[in-house]
Amino acid sequence: MPQILDGKIARDFYKKTLIERVKKLSFVPTLSIIQIGDNRESAIYIEQKKNFGLSIGVSVSHIHLPAEATFDEIARIILGENSKSEVSGIIIQSPVPAHLDFLKLVNLIDPKRDVDGLTDENVKLLAEGKPRFVPATARGVMLLLDFYKISVSGKKIAVLGRSRLVGGPIARMLEMEGANVTVCHSKTANTREITKQSDIVIVAVGKPEFIDRSYVRDGAIVIDVGINSVYGEKLEEEIPKRKLVGDVDFGNIFAVVSAITPVPGGVGPMTVLSLFDNLISASLKLK
Ligand code: NAP
């Protein structure tokens, strides 16, 4: 029977440490979340972050701007947040409306408050092996592997996806821990060949249930980072019900792997935890 790598159990374990760290502070750190527009999924993720922040005793400020907000208007708000002493972390919830350049906005965040680790300065530091803030999903994956005592040193690991937010930093963190990492992306011709030779396969492509058992060898460990909202079976009234699935076809692959993360309840909870870990670290460095 494969082991389920349960992110909620791991999150609850590490959360206790965060609560202790917050108790030792003489101030309440604030995370500023800037949301532009009304993306449905963003609203859910922000709610999760607010709830988690409250549960560990930090403050979360949600700045919600209309979809038609201009770059200059948003820039003024970001610069304002940079100058508030109580604000230790600032994130811009993605996606942003099409008329805005997400990375240009991100780069206005003070890198010392960039708890998502997405500014050019922080990406460069990670590339050089001196991370200031490891992007939360990458840190979450590393913590999850650690919690389940899965060593990565010397292992062959395939990372599917190379984005600045997810695949890129995951690959970098694994390399820093001594793994032999192969990154696959949309132009990789022999992805299946690479994943079939890998001890661990980490999938962050944003394609619902894309990876099936033809991609993995027996006994492989599969980490599914993907979160996709798809239409499931229809409800009685013929209204399609939405459900969350990963980038991995869990049911198809389950019988052949040795361990796997579920979606939801795998990497997701670890990402929220890691964001607040970064926030506490930022607040200590800023004081
Ligand atoms: P993204 O920016 O769209 O990047 C997707 C990556 O997948 C790109 O690097 C792309 O390659 C690559 N790709 C596309 N098709 C591929 C294929 N057939 N084989 C191999 N690689 C392929 O998405 P993202 O922001 O990295 O997010 C990836 C997934 O993680 C999404 O499902 C997202 O919802 C999820 N996510 C989860 C969490 C969490 O907490 N669990 C957090 C953030 C994101 P190119 O670079 O060549 O285009």
Side-chain angles (χ1 to χ4, degrees):
M1 193 62 173
Q3 183 178 23
I4 300 287
L5 307 174
D6 188 320
K8 288 186 190 160
I9 295 175
R11 181 222 27 221
D12 290 346
F13 172 81
Y14 291 114
K15 186 176 167 181
K16 292 183 197 129
T17 319
L18 294 197
I19 292 170
E20 288 312 311
R21 287 176 74 198
V22 173
K23 273 190 195 150
K24 286 192 188 127
L25 299 173
S26 56
F27 56 95
V28 177
T30 298
L31 172 70
S32 259
I33 304 177
I34 300 174
Q35 179 189 11
I36 306 131
D38 293 300
N39 180 281
R40 229 177 72 101
E41 270 86 35
S42 290
I44 298 168
Y45 294 140
I46 290 170
E47 208 45 41
Q48 285 172 352
K49 288 169 191 165
K50 282 184 183 169
N51 290 338
F52 188 87
L54 276 178
S55 75
I56 63 162
V58 305
S59 160
V60 178
S61 146
H62 178 197
I63 302 170
H64 191 176
L65 305 170
E68 49 293 344
T70 65
F71 184 89
D72 289 348
E73 284 165 350
I74 304 161
R76 268 195 297 280
I77 287 174
I78 296 171
L79 299 179
E81 293 304 290
N82 282 343
S83 65
K84 291 182 184 166
S85 61
E86 72 277 16
V87 173
S88 305
I90 304 167
I91 62 170
I92 300 170
Q93 186 68 43
S94 73
V96 296
H99 69 281
L100 295 166
D101 181 336
F102 177 68
L103 272 186
K104 227 171 138 184
L105 286 172
V106 160
N107 274 304
L108 294 172
I109 297 174
D110 170 7
K112 294 194 177 68
R113 292 177 164 85
D114 165 32
V115 286
D116 257 347
L118 289 178
T119 56
D120 290 344
E121 185 175 313
N122 287 329
V123 170
K124 186 162 169 277
L125 284 172
L126 177 61
E128 289 167 353
K130 302 174 289 194
R132 180 191 272 141
F133 299 116
V134 177
T137 308
R139 177 136 172 74
V141 167
M142 300 307 290
L143 282 174
L144 188 67
L145 292 169
D146 210 46
F147 180 78
Y148 284 101
K149 310 225 174 330
I150 298 169
S151 159
V152 299
S153 179
K155 299 268 172 64
K156 275 189 173 181
I157 305 186
V159 176
L160 274 60
R162 58 173 170 179
S163 70
R164 178 183 277 237
L165 184 68
V166 188
I170 291 176
R172 185 71 193 107
M173 288 303 290
L174 291 165
E175 277 168 1
M176 283 170 63
E177 294 293 325
N180 298 310
V181 181
T182 307
V183 176
C184 303
H185 49 76
S186 65
K187 310 287 185 298
T188 307
N190 57 339
T191 300
R192 197 179 264 107
E193 215 176 285
I194 293 165
T195 53
K196 275 196 101 73
Q197 289 168 10
S198 301
D199 304 306
I200 303 177
V201 179
I202 302 185
V203 193
V205 297
K207 294 189 171 168
E209 300 179 326
F210 175 67
I211 296 297
D212 61 20
R213 65 169 70 177
S214 72
Y215 278 84
V216 296
R217 63 163 181 75
D218 282 5
I221 295 170
V222 174
I223 307 292
D224 186 357
V225 182
I227 302 180
N228 308 285
S229 174
V230 297
Y231 287 107
E233 338 75 66
K234 290 189 170 167
L235 296 173
E236 274 173 28
E237 319 85 69
E238 292 295 298
I239 302 165
K241 191 169 68 172
R242 288 176 85 87
K243 63 169 184 170
L244 289 184
V245 298
D247 289 348
V248 173
D249 186 342
F250 186 93
N252 178 276
I253 219 169
F254 188 72
V256 298
V257 297
S258 64
I260 185 165
T261 54
V263 177
V267 175
M270 298 304 290
T271 297
V272 179
L273 171 103
S274 301
L275 174 67
F276 284 91
D277 189 25
N278 280 348
L279 178 78
I280 298 165
S281 301
S283 73
L284 287 166
K285 284 185 196 151
L286 283 164
K287 286 290 154 185

